[in-house]
Structures are given as structure tokens and as C-alpha cells.
């Protein structure tokens, strides 16, 4: 738990979010600023700043769990497909320093991204 972390507060129930999934390890919520008709964020309840911090902590099993839940909610919200994104670090476009995977669905995803 990181005291100033908004996703820790959401995972801890201190700040409300539209939850679409929760278990002992992982929470998935709707993004407040959706970039697609379905835009979900899958995050561990435990705080890791980003993907590299998660692997540095030896928590690869948590990364696997994030992908498992992302695939589950992706299939539920994107019958015709979905995209997973993990912005990492400043040049990766990360703005919230609690590791999370974006699940985008409901429209055609262009490639390459901007
Ligand atoms: P990133 O830029 O990859 O770190 O993504 C952070 C995402 O969190 C952005 O898409 C924001 O719209 C989203 N976000 C920030 N605050 C909240 C919140 N309180 N509830 C839901 N999504 C949020
Ligand atoms: Zn956090």
C-alpha cells in the first residue's frame, strides 16, 4: 500500500470506482477517461510502481494473473477482440504509478498506435 496512490485507494475501497472484477489479488475497473467504448484497467491490489518494479520484486506470478484477468474481462467486453496496453515509465506514457493493464475494446484498434 502506497499512501498517496489513487489505485491503492481504489483497490482498498477508499475511493469508489466502477468495478468489473475483484478477487484476492486483482481488481479491474472502468477507466474514468475512456479511449474506447470499453476501457478497463486491471491492477494488482498490492502496490508495484510499474511492470519493471513488479518483476524486480519477483512477482512474476502477479503479472501472469493480470494477463489472465485482462483476458477474461477482455473477452467479456470485446466479443470481436480487444487490446492490452501496459504503459511503463515516462516515455511509455504512464501517468499513474501503480502497475495496471489497459483493456480496450468495442472499436477497431489501429496499428501502429500514436
Ligand atoms: P496510464 O497513463 O497508463 O498510467 O493510465 C492511467 C489511467 O488511469 C488513465 O487512463 C486515467 O484515465 C485512469 N484513471 C485515473 N484516475 C482514475 C480513477 N480514479 N478511476 C478510474 N480511472 C482512472
Ligand atoms: Zn498503489
Amino acid at each position: 500500500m502506497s499512501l498517496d496512490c489513487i489505485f491503492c485507494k481504489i483497490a482498498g475501497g477508499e475511493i469508489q470506482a466502477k468495478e468489473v472484477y475483484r478477487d484476492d489479488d486483482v481488481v479491474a475497473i472502468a477507466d474514468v477517461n475512456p479511449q474506447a467504448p470499453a476501457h478497463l484497467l486491471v491492477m494488482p491490489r498490492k502496490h508495484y510502481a510499474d511492470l519493471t518494479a513488479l518483476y524486480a520484486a519477483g512477482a512474476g506470478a502477479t503479472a501472469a494473473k493480470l494477463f489472465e484477468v485482462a483476458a477474461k474481462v477482455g473477452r467479456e467486453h470485446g466479443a470481436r477482440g480487444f487490446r492490452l496496453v501496459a504503459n511503463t515509465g515516462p516515455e511509455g506514457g504512464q501517468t499513474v504509478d501503480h502497475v495496471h493493464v489497459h483493456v480496450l475494446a468495442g472499436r477497431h484498434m489501429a496499428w501502429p498506435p500514436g
Side-chain angles (χ1 to χ4, degrees):
M1 167 86 181
S2 174
L3 282 178
D4 288 333
C5 173
I6 188 158
F7 286 178
C8 279
K9 288 179 178 164
I10 287 172
E14 205 182 315
I15 290 180
Q16 293 300 306
K18 189 183 170 214
E19 279 187 22
V20 297
Y21 179 87
R22 175 179 283 266
D23 66 24
D24 287 346
D25 308 309
V26 172
V27 178
I29 63 169
D31 196 296
V32 278
N33 183 21
Q35 303 301 311
H39 185 171
L40 311 168
L41 303 170
V42 183
M43 64 191 73
R45 291 174 65 175
K46 187 168 177 201
H47 182 89
Y48 300 96
D50 65 13
L51 207 49
T52 54
L54 185 155
Y55 280 111
T62 298
K65 184 75 188 282
L66 292 182
F67 266 78
E68 183 183 359
V69 173
K72 173 184 157 55
V73 298
R75 195 181 53 195
E76 288 168 358
H77 291 82
R80 284 160 31 95
F82 54 89
R83 175 175 288 177
L84 306 183
V85 175
N87 297 328
T88 305
E91 286 201 357
Q94 185 175 7
T95 59
V96 175
D97 291 336
H98 179 127
V99 65
H100 52 281
V101 177
H102 295 257
V103 181
L104 298 146
R107 66 167 169 79
H108 182 75
M109 303 289 157
W111 190 263

